[in-house]
Amino acid sequence: MVATAIGRKKCYFGAGYWHDADKPAVGAIILNDEGRYISTLNAPLPSCSSPLMAEAFAGKEVLSWLWNHGERSLDLFTYCLTLQQYLTSATTPVRSYLGYAIDACRARIISFDYCSVVFIPRIDNFLVHTLASSAFTQSIAMYWDSVPPDSVSEHFE
């Protein structure tokens, strides 16, 4: 996992997209500045037409979860370079469902005291991919505070 400023939490997130079933899902994990576990989310997402749209929907879901979780200053890590570029550039995406999802992410990001969006290789974000993949069969969002779910717990022992 990537180091950040002392005291600032890290949130890793990503989407899974099961194309044949048109099922997107999200996984996210919050760590403290020392890499210790704080909380996890995984959830199915609304149907969408592409992996990029799934990533944008995942971003919306994660940013809302972080806000509702009381997080206001953090570094946000994604393995989707295109989404990271959309969220950090001044360019406005095309008016589409994707564009509206990205606009919603940007609006939430600016409401935080501090929120950087950082690209990392997928291999460095494998825990959230595991979490997202396990949400394909769920009907609701699942949250784990203090104790990680079994699917990733071995990484925090």
Side-chain angles (χ1 to χ4, degrees):
M1 302 281 176
V2 178
T4 59
I6 294 174
R8 194 162 48 236
K9 294 175 185 168
K10 302 173 275 195
C11 178
Y12 296 82
F13 82 97
Y17 186 67
W18 185 4
H19 190 273
D20 292 342
D22 189 28
K23 284 189 170 191
V26 60
I29 189 164
I30 304 171
L31 304 176
N32 70 13
D33 63 327
E34 297 174 347
R36 288 192 170 74
Y37 179 86
I38 295 175
S39 188
T40 299
L41 151 78
N42 78 347
L45 293 170
S47 292
C48 59
S49 59
S50 72
L52 178 56
M53 188 175 288
E55 293 290 347
F57 284 172
K60 276 183 52 177
E61 184 72 23
V62 167
L63 288 162
S64 292
W65 170 62
L66 289 166
W67 184 264
N68 293 336
H69 205 267
E71 302 300 337
R72 297 296 184 270
S73 180
L74 56 102
D75 293 298
L76 191 61
F77 296 92
T78 177
Y79 55 76
C80 182
L81 181 59
T82 303
L83 180 64
Q84 185 271 342
Q85 290 171 337
Y86 275 134
L87 295 179
T88 58
S89 73
T91 305
T92 302
V94 177
R95 290 289 144 206
S96 64
Y97 288 121
L98 175 61
Y100 290 123
I102 289 169
D103 285 347
C105 289
R106 286 179 172 173
R108 178 54 78 186
I109 286 169
I110 63 171
S111 70
F112 285 85
D113 296 333
Y114 178 88
C115 183
S116 68
V117 182
V118 181
F119 169 75
I120 59 172
R122 186 173 181 155
I123 192 72
D124 292 340
N125 214 3
F126 68 95
L127 293 178
V128 299
H129 185 68
T130 300
L131 291 165
S133 296
S134 65
F136 288 135
T137 58
Q138 295 171 202
S139 59
I140 60 170
M142 301 289 290
Y143 309 94
W144 293 264
D145 291 329
S146 303
V147 178
D150 291 343
S151 61
V152 297
S153 63
E154 70 184 45
H155 299 282
F156 298 101
E157 295 176 351

